[in-house]
Amino acid sequence: SGARGATGGGAGGMEQAIQQFLMSSGMGGSGTAGVPTQQRAANEMAVEQMRQMQATSITNIVSQGQLILDSLEEEDRKKLFEFLPKGQQDAKGFEAAINSPQLQQGASRLTRVLNSAQYGNLVTSFGLRNTGEMGSKAFIDAIKAKFGKKAEEKSSDSKKDEESKMETE
């Protein structure tokens, strides 16, 4: 919960802060009578984009660690546990790692970068395709686009190999 405080108190806090700013500058909320319709629409769109970025923040995804773990097959869980330190390679160790302040802080920092002008540099440095969109969802989609296909191809290649072996036996 300490990492959430660093991000402005979650989506509601961020939305409220943006609305207060827009209202104080006479650009949003109620009392928009003197504001041009085009400017109001742009402000509303900015608020909606902030909501979407908050909804798909890496911090929010990481905090769903148990849900992620529950959704994995046993074989995939074992593979995931291999990345944990010795003696902590189980569900309890995974939960401890996911909830660690260090991981929460790192996820929060990554989310800020993904929602900033640094996004393009980051995805390029990872060798991912920059589609011009930014944010956590765009980053995850870029990872899926690069590595998801390879995983599917390997799976279909291994199936083809098995079928070939069966035909020759």
Side-chain angles (χ1 to χ4, degrees):
S1 97
R4 287 188 194 135
T7 61
M14 180 64 75
E15 180 182 340
Q16 186 177 20
I18 293 169
Q19 286 290 353
Q20 285 176 347
F21 168 75
L22 294 175
M23 286 174 59
S24 70
S25 61
M27 293 188 269
S30 59
T32 58
V35 180
T37 304
Q38 200 172 30
Q39 190 174 6
R40 270 197 315 265
N43 292 337
E44 290 170 8
M45 193 163 63
V47 170
E48 182 59 30
Q49 286 175 336
M50 290 302 294
R51 274 191 210 129
Q52 290 174 1
M53 284 191 267
Q54 285 292 323
T56 57
S57 78
I58 298 296
T59 307
N60 290 345
I61 294 168
V62 168
S63 68
Q64 302 298 315
Q66 189 58 48
L67 184 64
I68 294 167
L69 196 58
D70 291 344
S71 69
L72 295 174
E73 299 290 328
E74 188 60 34
E75 183 179 322
D76 294 328
R77 288 173 133 209
K78 287 178 183 176
K79 288 178 186 176
L80 181 62
F81 293 158
E82 290 174 10
F83 291 100
L84 297 171
K86 298 285 184 214
Q88 297 178 0
Q89 296 180 333
D90 56 13
K92 196 173 184 178
F94 177 77
E95 193 67 29
I98 286 292
N99 292 317
S100 73
Q102 296 86 352
L103 185 64
Q104 293 293 323
Q105 185 178 33
S108 179
R109 285 182 180 165
L110 178 58
T111 297
R112 283 193 301 271
V113 169
L114 295 176
N115 293 321
S116 74
Q118 298 171 342
Y119 176 84
N121 293 334
L122 180 73
V123 295
T124 302
S125 70
F126 280 116
L128 302 173
R129 186 169 167 254
N130 186 354
T131 62
E133 296 179 31
M134 60 185 227
S136 302
K137 184 177 181 332
F139 183 66
I140 292 168
D141 289 345
I143 292 170
K144 285 180 181 177
K146 181 171 183 174
F147 297 104
K149 290 179 183 175
K150 289 182 179 179
E152 288 174 21
E153 289 170 5
K154 286 181 182 177
S155 175
S156 68
D157 287 348
S158 66
K159 286 180 185 175
K160 288 177 188 174
D161 290 344
E162 287 177 22
E163 289 172 2
S164 296
K165 288 179 185 176
M166 292 174 85
E167 289 174 3
T168 58
E169 290 178 351

